[in-house]
Structures are given as C-alpha cells and as structure tokens.
Amino acid sequence: MSIAALRRSARATVSGFPGGFWWLWLSTLVNRTGAFVLTFLSLYLTQELGHSAWFAGLVVALHGLGGVVGSPLGGSLTDRWGRRPTMVAMHLAAAGCAALLAFVTSAWGVALVVLLMGVAMQAVRPAINAAIADLVPAAEVRRAYALNYWALNLGFAIAAIGGGAAALLGYHTLFLIDATATVLCALIVFLRLPETRPEAVTAPTAPTSTAANLAAKSTGKGARKGSGKPRAESEVGIGTVLRDAPFRTLVTLNLLVCLVFTAPWIGLPLTMTAKGLDPSAYGVVIAVNGVVIVAFQLLVNRITDKRSPVMLLTVSSLLFAAGTGATALAGTSVAFAATVVVWTIGEMVHVPTNAAATARLAPEHARGRYQGVMGMSWSVAGFVAPILAGWIVDGPGPVILWIACALIGAVAAVGYQTRLRSVLADADDDPKAPKDLKDLRDPKDDIRGDGTGESAGTGSGKGEGVPEPRAAVVATADATV
C-alpha cells in the first residue's frame, strides 16, 4: 500500500465527526496521559511505603470494587444530571483522590482513597460513552468508540513512558501531576463540550424493551437535543435495565470476555516466572499490548468498519480464546509475546463493538444507565478475575487457567452467535429480523438514507456540541471502550 493510500485511509478513519467529539477525544487523551497513580501504585505501596505484595494486590482490587459501584452510579447521574456535569464532577473527584495519595500514608487511608478513586474513575465512563452516542450518527458510533479507545491507549503508553522518567522526582510528584492532568481534562469538558443529553419528559409508561427501542429508532421518533418537542419517556432505573433480556445477555457475555481479558494481567507474569523467565521479560511482553493497539487500532478499525457487530463480537471472543489458550503452550518470551498479539487484536475489535452494541440497545434517555450497567461488568471482572487467576495458578496450575480461559472465550463466541444474532442485526439487512420492525419505518424519517433506521438528529448533536476498556487493566495493575 502506498503512502498516499495510507493517508487516504487514515483521513477516512478520522473524518466526519463533529467538533464536540474531538474535544471529548482530547479530554480522554489528556486524562490518560497523566494517569500515573494506578500504573505505579503497586511499586509505591511496596517500595515507598514498605507494604507487602499481598496488600498491594488488595488495594488494586479495591479499585475494581469501587468501579462496581461507580459504573451504575455514573450511569444514573449521566441520565439525571446530564453528560457534562457528571464528567466534570467525577473527573474532579478523581483528581482530588490522586492529590490525596500524595499526602496520605497510612495503609487503610491509601486503601480508602483508591476505593473512592475507583468509584470516580468508573463513574465517568458511562457519561463519556453516552455523549459519544449522542454526538455521532448511529452508523459511525463504533468507529467513534474505536478512536476514543485509541486515545485511551495512546495516553496510557505516554503515561507509562513519561511516568518512568518522572518517577525520579518521587511518587508524590507523580500523583500531583496526575491530579493536574485530570483537572485539565475536566476544564476541557466544562469549557468546550456542550451538554448532549436528549430532552425528554418522564411519564409512568411501561418499561422500554429492546424491541420497542428498535421500533422507535426505525421510525426516527427518538427525543433529541434541540428538537423542541421532547416526548414522554418511561422512567428507567437500573432494575428496568436488568430486565431487558437481550441487553442482559450482552452484559453477561461481555462479563465472560472480560474475565478472559483480565486473566493475563495476573496469570501471565506468574506463568512466565514458573517457566524460568526473568521478571523483566514480562514487562517487555506485556508492553506488546499497548504497542499493537497504538500502532494498529486505526487500521483494525478501518478493516472492521461496517461489519456485522455479532460477527465482530464472535471473532473477538475466539481471538481471546485462542490467544489465552495458546499461553499454555508458550515457553519463550517470543512465544508469550505472540499470544499477547492475538488477544490484543481481539481487544481492539471487542471494546468499541461492545460499546456500540450497548448504545444501540439503549433507549436515548437511558444511555447512561445502560452504559453504567455494561461498565459494571468490566469492574466485576477487574475485581474477580485477579483473585480467581491467582487461586488457579497456585492450585491446579497455570495450564488449567489458560484452558479455562479458552473454554470461556469459546462459550462467549457461541453465545453471541446464538443469542444476539437477530437482536443486533440491521432490520433492513437481516432477513431474520422481525418483519414488523421493517414495516414500522417511515421513509420520510430516514433522513440520512443509509439504511440504519436512525434519523440524523439522533446522533449529530446539531446545535450542541467512551475496565477502563482499559478499565479492566486499571483494576488489575486501565486499560475499556
């Protein structure tokens, strides 16, 4: 491929988004570039404060536990307060926690601050994901999530490199830099990102199901910001979201994938050490994950653009299964790095596709709550997977861990194909889609005429301005969408 062709491909990948999306993208990059706390937290606890490795692992797990609370909390605030107020408030809360870590030295004081930081950092994710779905036309939502995930990982890579050099200044300085970057992120959102929450009037109507939501999208009658005609919406609580059977299935399958995705961050260094490799080899091998994402996320996004979401989720689950399963056979650093490449490709496909599927199943006025419940699955995995992985490695052994990961990934792939194929299929394109949804479309409402069943007003943000995807990595060390 020529340089000119690469430039055209890159231009096509990043073109067509409103200015509000790029301000949100910039805020994500700034925030992650200064994300030093969790990257260096275990070293701070063991080397600076003298705590045991067990205690360091417990504190990192508490961050994941905080996310279990923070994700649904952030989802509710996103729909009640709005996207921008939730982002600003939670970014400032996270900044406050980072600053506190520069001064709190007691063991349980640090644990409490990290727990609260987990709440704040994960509470902001539903607001970001909902804002992206508000700003971007439905046909481009997956591409937008992929670009935002790329910003997360680019910032994470910069933070890892810069933090290593800045560590010479001391951990307290790193934490204050983290707090400053997070405050700057909040200022970008406050000053440059208008509120995008669709206007709606609540009414005691029946809970909105996924089928009803798809029907509403097909008719192009969703309430939207600036429409001047807010419509009555059913009040949606977390319980209502959990009663949405197709979405509940999506969350359950994502939890399975997240367990597989999180396992290597604990199991891989233990497995490599058991094979007689030097601990420093793990640092090189796991760095492959970030390098591959930063280098190839845009290319992967270009290749997968407009593909069936069910197909992408199935393929990504199989890549997770293959990559983690092959770890049981690896014996050298090169072989371990190859397994990381395989499941990293799965990560690049899965995270934006899953976020886009969540946005698709969610009613406009409940996008925050739906994204919050989905984010909770990442946080649960970030808390449970490290404990399970460590127990399996110490007990049955590393081989059993990787075989279990392969089986879980395969089960998730089968689940996507058998349980969500018709739900996530385009009503116009999939012959298996319910005919009544096709018939509900009013041609006059399909403003874009692209066959998605979404009116331009639902996602353009006209007149108005995302386990830590990498959220799971943060909970164990985001690093999602």
Side-chain angles (χ1 to χ4, degrees):
M1 181 179 289
S2 66
I3 298 297
L6 288 173
R7 287 177 178 173
R8 287 195 299 271
S9 178
R11 192 178 301 114
T13 300
V14 302
S15 64
F17 294 121
F21 168 78
W22 289 113
W23 284 114
L24 189 59
W25 185 91
L26 178 62
S27 72
T28 297
L29 179 61
V30 169
N31 188 26
R32 297 307 301 152
T33 299
F36 300 125
V37 169
L38 291 171
T39 306
F40 296 92
L41 182 59
S42 60
L43 293 177
Y44 171 67
L45 290 170
T46 54
Q47 296 181 1
E48 184 81 5
L49 299 184
H51 295 298
S52 66
W54 173 87
F55 181 77
L58 174 63
V59 172
V60 172
L62 285 176
H63 183 276
L65 183 62
V68 174
V69 177
S71 289
L73 172 63
S76 295
L77 294 178
T78 295
D79 291 333
R80 292 181 180 275
W81 285 4
R83 284 55 161 145
R84 186 174 69 164
T86 301
M87 279 187 266
V88 171
M90 293 302 110
H91 279 316
L92 292 178
C97 290
L100 278 175
L101 282 177
F103 304 100
V104 175
T105 57
S106 69
W108 296 111
V110 171
L112 177 60
V113 172
V114 171
L115 176 66
L116 295 176
M117 177 178 279
V119 174
M121 288 183 66
Q122 294 309 312
V124 79
R125 300 308 307 167
I128 293 173
N129 287 338
I132 291 174
D134 296 337
L135 287 164
V136 178
E140 307 298 338
V141 164
R142 202 201 70 82
R143 182 161 63 98
Y145 284 129
L147 285 172
N148 195 64
Y149 192 62
W150 182 63
L152 275 170
N153 285 278
L154 178 60
F156 182 80
I158 295 173
I161 297 172
L168 297 175
L169 301 175
Y171 292 106
H172 296 135
T173 302
L174 283 182
F175 297 159
L176 291 176
I177 294 174
D178 190 325
T180 302
T182 308
V183 169
L184 179 58
C185 170
L187 284 175
I188 292 174
V189 172
F190 180 74
L191 296 175
R192 306 302 304 180
L193 184 68
E195 178 56 54
T196 64
R197 180 179 60 169
E199 295 175 350
V201 179
T202 58
T205 55
T208 304
S209 66
T210 298
N213 178 46
L214 290 175
K217 289 184 175 184
S218 295
T219 58
K221 297 184 182 298
R224 52 188 177 272
K225 187 74 176 174
S227 66
K229 296 180 180 180
R231 66 184 177 91
E233 297 283 10
S234 58
E235 183 67 27
V236 176
I238 298 299
T240 308
V241 176
L242 294 176
R243 287 193 296 272
D244 185 334
F247 179 69
R248 190 171 63 241
T249 300
L250 183 68
V251 172
T252 302
L253 294 175
N254 184 67
L255 176 59
L256 295 179
V257 172
C258 290
L259 290 172
V260 177
F261 169 60
T262 308
W265 301 91
I266 298 298
L268 185 57
L270 297 177
T271 301
M272 293 179 65
T273 301
K275 293 282 188 177
L277 297 175
D278 191 87
S280 62
Y282 168 72
V284 176
V285 168
I286 203 61
V288 171
N289 173 259
V291 171
V292 170
I293 292 176
V294 172
F296 297 107
Q297 179 71 70
L298 297 184
L299 176 61
V300 169
N301 185 53
R302 184 68 175 163
I303 294 172
T304 58
D305 195 26
K306 311 302 183 185
R307 305 290 182 182
S308 162
V310 170
M311 183 271 286
L312 294 176
L313 291 171
T314 302
V315 169
S316 64
S317 299
L318 292 175
L319 287 169
F320 275 119
T324 54
T327 307
L329 305 175
T332 65
S333 295
V334 174
F336 282 114
T339 67
V340 172
V341 170
V342 174
W343 60 255
T344 296
I345 297 173
E347 176 188 354
M348 290 190 287
V349 174
H350 179 86
V351 172
T353 305
N354 183 72
T358 301
R360 178 170 183 167
L361 295 182
E364 280 186 341
H365 65 293
R367 279 174 175 158
R369 288 178 176 86
Y370 272 67
Q371 293 286 356
V373 171
M374 180 57 72
M376 189 166 60
S377 66
W378 286 92
S379 298
V380 169
F383 178 69
V384 173
I387 298 174
L388 289 178
W391 176 78
I392 294 175
V393 170
D394 284 340
V399 172
I400 300 301
L401 172 65
W402 304 120
I403 292 176
C405 286
L407 291 175
I408 293 172
V411 168
V414 172
Y416 284 122
Q417 278 294 315
T418 59
R419 301 298 302 276
L420 293 175
R421 190 176 186 86
S422 62
V423 175
L424 294 179
D426 285 330
D428 283 340
D429 298 334
D430 191 338
K432 296 182 180 180
K435 189 175 187 300
D436 59 332
L437 291 184
K438 298 180 185 180
D439 294 340
L440 283 172
R441 179 191 299 279
D442 181 347
K444 293 183 294 184
D445 288 328
D446 192 0
I447 297 176
R448 288 205 317 275
D450 59 5
T452 64
E454 293 280 343
S455 69
T458 61
S460 65
K462 191 177 295 184
E464 297 292 329
V466 169
E468 174 142 293
R470 194 139 295 272
V473 180
V474 167
T476 61
D478 157 280
T480 275
V481 233

